[in-house]
Amino acid sequence: MGFSFFASRAAARFLEDIRRPAGVSTAALLLTAASGGGIVAYADSSRPEEGSGPPQQDVPRKKKVVVLGTGWGGTSFLKNLDCSRYDVKVISPRNYFAFTPLLPSVTCGTVEARSIVEPIRRMFEKKNKDVAYYEAECFKIDAAKKAVHCRSAVGTNLDGNGDFEVDYDYLVVALGATVNTFNTPGVMEHCHFLKEVEDAQKIRKSVLDCFEKASLPNISEEEKRKILHFVVIGGGPTGVEFTAELHDFLVEDLVKIYPAIQEFVKITIIQSGEHILNTFDERIAAFAETKFQRDGIEVNTGFRVLKVSDDFITVKNKSTGGEILVPYGMAIWSAGIGTRPVITDFMNQVGQAKRRALATNEWLRVRETDGVYAIGDCSSISQRKIMEDISTIFKVADKDNSGTLTLKEISDILEDICIRYPQVELYMKSMHMLDIADLIASGVGDSHKESMVVDIEEFKNALCHVDSQVKTVPATAQVAAQQGYYLADCFNKMDHCKEHPEGPLRLSGSGGDHHNFRPFRYKHLGQFAPLGGEQAAAELPGDWVSMGHSTQWLWYSVYASKQVSWRTRVLVVSDWTRRFIFGRDSSRI
C-alpha cells in the first residue's frame, strides 16, 4: 500500500507537468498502479478551457488615504471614516490618543497619565476598522510625487536608518502644532512646556523636586523663596488651568507634608496682554483675576518676557518700559503655539511661505495642492471674501440679464450666498438687520427704497462692509474634532456627491454649477476655565456665562462624557474620586 500511495502521488505530479496538446479537452486521465491494484484519477476540470467562462473582472483599486497624526483631528477623522471604501494608513510617532484638556490635571496627580490616553490600535480594533498604523514621524511631504517620507524610531530598514516612503491618493495632515517661543532666548533650555503627556509627567516630577530641594538643611531662606517660586508664562486657558491645579496641589496636599517650607511658596502668572483669559468673556477674565489674587497668586499683566536664564526671568513692563529680574525655581511656558518644521517645509513647497499655518479653503483642502487636506492646529481656513466674487454673484443672480437686480432675484440666491460667505449673516446680525431688504437698503439711496432695484454699483455698496465680519476659527481641540468629523463625512459620500452635489452654487470664477459639499462651519459649543478651589468658569452658546462651584460640577460631567472610550471614562472618574477621598499622590513615580 505504501508503494501505491507514493506511485499515485508521483503520477499526479507527472500529469500536472504534462503540457496538453492544443485543442484537446480531457475531463480526466486514469492511471492504474498495477502493483498495488489501486486506481488514481486526476481530474483537470478545475482548469477551464480558453473562452469557456466569463472573463475575470478586475477589482477596482481602493484609493489610498494617509493620515498624519493621532491627535484630535486625526482621531476624529478615523473614527468616523468608512474605512471599507479606502486603503487607510496612519502615521504618527505617538501610538495613542491623549485627552489634552486634562493635561494640567496630570501635572499635579489629580488624574493619572494613563487615564487620559487610549491606544490607537485599540480604537481601531473596537470599531472593526481595517487600518494600517506605522509608529513613525513624517519629516517631509512631497506633494509633487504624492508621497510622504517617514522615519521610525522603533525599527530600521535595510539601510539601517529607519526611513521609508508611503504614497497616497488623499493625504490628511493632522500634525497639530508645537510650542512657540517667539525666539525668546533661554526658553527652550530652561522652561517646561505643556503640550504632551510626557511634558505633564516632567512637570509633576519637577514640582516635587523643588519641594525636596528646598527641604534640605543647607538651603538659606532666600534660596528657598527662589526654589519655591513657580512662574507660569502665558495667561491663556492652559496657563490658567495649570496655575489653578498647582495652587490646589500646594494648599490641599503639599503643605501638609512640607509644613516647614509652606511660607516660602509663591505662584506668579506673567501675561503680555492686559488680562488673563483674553479669549473669554470679560466677566470671566475679571472673575479669574479676582479669585487668583484672593488665593495669593500674583497676576502680572502687561509684561513681556525678554530672556530666561538659570536663575532669573527678565521681563519688560510694556507701559513703563522698565526691565525686572524675576527669580524662579520652575518656569512653565504656555504663551502660544508654533508651526512644526515639516509643515513649514511643506508650506514653502506649495507657495505658502511666511505663514503661521497651512492655508485651506472652506472644504479643508490645502490651497494649490491635489488631494491634500489639513485639519487641526496645523491649518487655518482662509474664508473667501465676498467682494472678490461680487461681479460673478451679480451676474449669476441677474437671470434676465437686465443689468439690475430685484429683491426677488437677490432672495433667490441668498441661501447660496449665506452658505458660501457666512460673514453675510454675521454682518446682518451685528447690524441688527431683519432681512436682506435691510441689507440692500443700506447701500441704495432713498429713491430706490420703494422699488428695491439695484445696479452693480449699488449692490457693491450694500455688501462692501460685509467682509469685516470674517472670522478665523480658534486653535482648539473642539475645532479639530469637528473638522475631522466633517472631512470623514465628505470622504464617506464622495462618490455620491459627485453625481448629486449638495453644496452651494459656485459663486467664484465662472459660476453656474454647484460645489460637491457644503463648506465646513465651526459650531462653538462653549469653553471652560477651571479656576481651582472647586470653582470654574464657562462660556456657553447663547452668550451664557456661568461661574462658581456649580460650573465646576458641570465641567466634571462634560469632560467625563467627552472621553474617547468607556475605559478612560471610568479611569478619569475613579481618579477624581480617589483625589476627593485620599488626596493627590506626592511620590515622584
Side-chain angles (χ1 to χ4, degrees), residues 182-315:
F182 303 98
N183 296 320
T184 306
V187 171
M188 294 298 297
E189 295 81 6
H190 305 295
C191 290
H192 289 273
F193 306 106
L194 193 50
K195 288 289 293 179
E196 306 288 347
V197 174
E198 293 81 4
D199 296 334
Q201 292 172 321
K202 290 178 182 177
I203 291 175
R204 181 175 178 177
K205 292 181 179 180
S206 295
V207 170
L208 296 171
D209 284 345
C210 289
F211 274 83
E212 292 295 344
K213 184 178 180 180
S215 299
L216 296 176
N218 59 338
I219 303 297
S220 65
E221 289 190 1
E222 183 180 356
E223 275 292 304
K224 289 179 181 179
R225 294 186 188 279
K226 172 183 168 298
I227 294 171
L228 295 177
H229 187 193
F230 301 94
V231 179
V232 180
I233 303 170
T238 301
V240 167
E241 186 171 349
F242 169 74
T243 302
E245 283 283 353
L246 180 60
H247 177 265
D248 285 353
F249 189 29
L250 297 178
V251 301
E252 295 176 6
D253 301 279
L254 293 183
V255 294
K256 299 176 182 178
I257 55 180
Y258 298 97
I261 58 175
Q262 60 175 316
E263 60 181 297
F264 304 111
V265 179
K266 182 180 179 181
I267 304 175
T268 299
I269 292 182
I270 298 176
Q271 165 72 345
S272 62
E274 295 303 319
H275 298 281
I276 61 175
L277 296 177
N278 51 17
T279 60
F280 282 72
D281 187 275
E282 294 179 356
R283 291 168 289 177
I284 292 179
F287 178 81
E289 290 178 3
T290 302
K291 183 184 183 305
F292 278 179
Q293 291 171 358
R294 187 170 61 247
D295 291 340
I297 299 172
E298 185 174 326
V299 180
N300 294 326
T301 57
F303 285 85
R304 184 165 65 92
V305 175
L306 301 178
K307 182 176 63 174
V308 181
S309 63
D310 284 333
D311 302 313
F312 298 97
I313 300 173
T314 305
V315 299

Side-chain angles (χ1 to χ4, degrees), residues 133-149:
Y133 168 72
Y134 305 136
E135 186 173 337
E137 182 177 4
C138 174
F139 63 88
K140 183 180 180 182
I141 301 172
D142 192 337
K145 295 182 179 179
K146 303 191 79 169
V148 292
H149 298 265

